[in-house]
Amino acid sequence: MMDRSDPIRVLLVDDEWLVRAALTTMLSGQYDIDVVGEASDGTAVPEAVRITRPDIVLMDIRMPKIDGLAATQRLRATTNAPEAIMLTTFDTDELVLRALRAGASGFLLKDTRPNEIVDAVRRVAAGEPILSPAIARKLIEYARATAKSNEPREAARRRLACLTDSQRRVAEAVGRGLTNAEIATELVMTVATIKSYVSQIMHKLALNNRVQIALLIHDAE
């Protein structure tokens, strides 16, 4: 999580310059957000990130050379990678699921209201994925409904075997779409303890956010 005394540094990636211009105008008008750079395709993301050192990359999914899904997956595999929020005109369950599996911390439609985009940037900078529990559960159910064999289930169970009992209980609560506060109440722990457990789980399982924890939990069922 970044130091909240610093402005949130945002890199915009979209092949339409009008979209980039609109987002720049929208975000640059906020006291706590700086648009530090732009790119028009996924191929330019690594160099743009190296130069601008953003906290968040706001990235279109549909681009002509390397799309946002591939670019995000590559980006999130690097050390100290910025968070990624996906932008698109499409909202199919499969597309959202693919974005989250690629490591995105959130998913926004391009017609999302400006104040909600600004709020999403702030929330992701604060370490909160921008999916409500209801949306997370919907995606999880989609993932389960489209499973083709037992192979993903067994692979997920092998990965989860490294967790302690307490970590597993927290992970399962995340899998039900509960917030940190709700998990703390249910397990009789402090919110700070739950946050610590979530961080430990992500580190052990090499995941980027709590939505990926939820998907892995339900892959194992």
Side-chain angles (χ1 to χ4, degrees):
M1 187 185 306
M2 63 176 288
D3 183 346
R4 293 310 301 269
S5 65
D6 296 328
I8 303 165
R9 299 171 62 84
V10 178
L11 172 67
L12 303 176
V13 184
D14 197 293
D15 61 330
E16 297 183 28
W17 72 267
L18 280 174
V19 173
R20 299 198 307 272
L23 289 170
T24 297
T25 300
M26 178 197 313
L27 296 173
S28 295
Q30 306 302 314
Y31 73 95
D32 57 346
I33 299 175
D34 282 345
V35 175
V36 295
E38 299 180 13
S40 60
D41 188 75
T43 56
V45 169
E47 181 67 5
V49 167
R50 186 187 68 80
I51 293 171
T52 64
R53 297 177 292 105
D55 300 300
I56 293 173
V57 179
L58 201 55
M59 180 137 49
D60 187 21
I61 285 185
R62 305 276 181 165
M63 292 184 289
K65 296 179 182 178
I66 294 181
D67 66 24
L69 294 173
T72 296
Q73 190 167 28
R74 295 176 187 180
L75 176 66
R76 295 298 298 164
T78 62
T79 304
N80 297 321
E83 301 294 338
I85 300 174
M86 310 306 296
L87 284 170
T88 186
T89 54
F90 304 90
D91 64 346
T92 63
D93 290 346
E94 181 181 3
L95 199 59
V96 178
L97 184 62
R98 288 176 60 199
L100 297 174
R101 289 196 186 281
S105 294
F107 186 98
L108 295 173
L109 295 178
K110 287 186 177 179
D111 60 1
T112 300
R113 290 181 294 183
N115 65 305
E116 293 178 357
I117 293 178
V118 170
D119 180 62
V121 169
R122 288 174 176 151
R123 287 177 58 188
V124 169
E128 304 174 16
I130 52 169
L131 288 175
S132 70
I135 295 174
R137 285 191 289 268
K138 176 184 177 184
L139 291 172
I140 288 161
E141 289 305 315
Y142 175 81
R144 295 174 68 184
T146 54
K148 301 300 183 183
S149 70
N150 288 330
E151 291 182 11
R153 179 182 297 112
E154 295 305 319
R157 288 177 176 176
R158 286 194 296 271
R159 291 183 67 186
L160 292 168
C162 69
L163 299 181
T164 66
D165 289 343
S166 294
Q167 290 169 345
R168 181 62 183 256
R169 287 196 296 272
V170 171
E172 289 172 349
V174 170
R176 298 191 339 256
L178 300 185
T179 65
N180 286 342
E182 290 169 338
I183 298 171
T185 298
E186 180 174 296
L187 299 183
V188 195
M189 298 178 182
T190 66
V191 172
T193 299
I194 299 302
K195 288 181 178 178
S196 177
Y197 273 127
V198 171
S199 295
Q200 293 168 22
I201 293 164
M202 288 191 292
H203 177 73
K204 275 191 173 182
L205 299 176
L207 300 175
N208 296 310
N209 56 53
R210 65 193 295 120
V211 178
Q212 289 185 325
I213 295 174
L215 291 172
L216 186 62
I217 285 292
H218 284 269
D219 281 347
E221 292 184 351

